[in-house]
Amino acid sequence: MPTADVNGTTLHYEDHGAGRPLVFLHGWGTSGRVWDAQTADLSRDHRVITLDSRGCGRSARATTGYTIADATHDTLRFLETLRLEAPVLIGSSIAGAYALEAALAAPQRIGAVIPVDAGLHHFSTATGMRQATAALLSRLRTDRAGTLADFVPHWYRPGANPALIDGTVRQLLHSTPLIDRLVTDQAAYDPRPRLPGIRVPVHFLHGGLDTEVPLSVPRECAALIPGAALTVLEDAGHMSQQDHPERFNTALRAALHLTEKAWRDGPKSFVTRRTIEDDHPMTTGKGHAV
């Protein structure tokens, strides 16, 4: 079982395949297993690394380090430990923030960033969201299992496999409750003023049926990041990589191709403030342009 000692804790990871390194980061309270379908496909021609964040999956249950800044530091130290050259960071939900923050902190070490269903500023700025977050945290303290059983189904598209939802709930219950500090931190997080300073290729992937994070969020953020792009998977929810794995993998491969070209062409290829969504439509899960 491969592990890495990172910032005073031990992180579990899986490492498969060879080629361009892809580092997959999971969202709040789950684990690298949410990327199983991507590992099976992408490891045929890439080096695929899935990381369990501190307190989650098979990583150690550290007693501190549960903020977005802490997770970003863990990510950068992990990349350093594995000596990865220009890896692509692919972050689901809150991990999209870790990936973007890593690119802001160390652009010379990152090949590209692909945020997936990332909430970013939504949970700190949307009307009523801070109150909703406080209510969620209160329910988690009094009835964690019941609250997660009610909450997690909304992450998926209507008609999603109940076994998939149950598996996600089990992962969350297996994680340390200290991960709730990330929810608190996210309620005060807004990276938008700093996004124009990103100097690595960025391509957002987002489920069109995501009821947790509206499409306005990645659209706004992509418009702020030089050269960023957005692909919408219209029949997927907040866990788009699991809702429609084959469609997601096709979209991810397209995003990887575009970001690799931008990275090889150098900064001049992505410093113009535009999004590919504006002038080069990307297809969605059903083949519609966005």
Side-chain angles (χ1 to χ4, degrees):
M1 183 175 74
T3 61
D5 292 330
V6 171
N7 296 331
T9 193
T10 301
L11 303 182
H12 170 269
Y13 66 96
E14 298 281 343
D15 192 343
H16 302 279
R20 185 185 186 193
L22 311 178
V23 178
F24 288 85
L25 307 172
H26 64 84
W28 176 71
T30 57
S31 76
R33 296 300 304 271
V34 300
W35 301 108
D36 280 356
Q38 287 66 54
T39 299
D41 179 14
L42 276 296
S43 62
R44 294 179 296 153
D45 48 7
H46 294 77
R47 182 180 178 186
V48 173
I49 299 162
T50 57
L51 177 65
D52 289 352
S53 297
R54 66 170 60 211
C56 301
R58 285 178 277 182
S59 290
R61 284 0 185 207
T63 58
T64 60
Y66 298 98
T67 68
I68 291 171
D70 292 329
T72 300
H73 295 153
D74 284 352
T75 300
L76 288 170
R77 183 56 61 87
F78 177 74
L79 302 182
E80 180 182 310
T81 300
L82 267 62
R83 299 182 179 180
L84 299 175
E85 180 179 354
V88 180
L89 300 184
I90 304 163
S92 172
S93 193
I94 194 172
Y98 313 161
L100 289 171
E101 291 292 342
L104 283 163
Q108 73 282 2
R109 293 167 55 189
I110 309 299
V113 171
I114 300 180
V116 178
D117 307 312
L120 302 174
H121 61 280
H122 175 64
F123 298 99
S124 68
T125 61
T127 301
M129 190 54 66
R130 292 197 183 194
Q131 294 88 338
T133 297
L136 171 64
L137 289 168
S138 176
R139 293 197 303 271
L140 286 168
R141 287 191 293 270
T142 57
D143 180 11
R144 193 168 191 84
T147 298
L148 291 172
D150 290 338
F151 181 40
V152 171
H154 299 286
W155 296 3
Y156 291 88
R157 63 178 173 84
N161 188 337
L164 186 63
I165 297 170
D166 290 345
T168 300
V169 171
R170 286 196 299 272
Q171 288 182 55
L172 282 153
L173 289 172
H174 181 61
S175 297
T176 173
L178 296 178
I179 60 169
D180 294 357
R181 296 174 184 173
L182 282 163
V183 178
T184 301
D185 194 44
Q186 186 175 233
Y189 177 73
D190 185 355
R192 287 176 297 175
R194 296 177 291 114
L195 293 182
I198 290 180
R199 290 296 180 266
V200 304
V202 176
H203 194 122
F204 289 84
L205 299 179
H206 207 90
L209 298 181
D210 188 344
T211 59
E212 295 299 310
V213 181
L215 274 172
S216 59
V217 172
R219 283 183 173 139
E220 180 180 1
C221 291
L224 291 169
I225 299 171
L230 165 64
T231 299
V232 177
L233 293 105
E234 65 178 31
D235 289 336
H238 188 62
M239 301 289 282
S240 56
Q241 78 273 31
Q242 291 187 305
D243 265 340
H244 287 297
E246 291 184 3
R247 294 178 187 174
F248 180 91
N249 292 350
T250 298
L252 176 56
R253 283 185 175 275
L256 289 170
H257 173 74
L258 289 170
T259 56
E260 183 174 28
K261 183 179 185 301
W263 182 77
R264 292 189 183 281
D265 289 347
K268 290 183 179 180
S269 68
F270 52 90
V271 295
T272 302
R273 288 192 185 178
R274 61 176 177 83
T275 66
I276 291 178
E277 187 186 17
D278 291 333
D279 59 3
H280 184 79
M282 302 298 295
T283 57
T284 67
K286 280 191 173 179
H288 297 162
V290 296

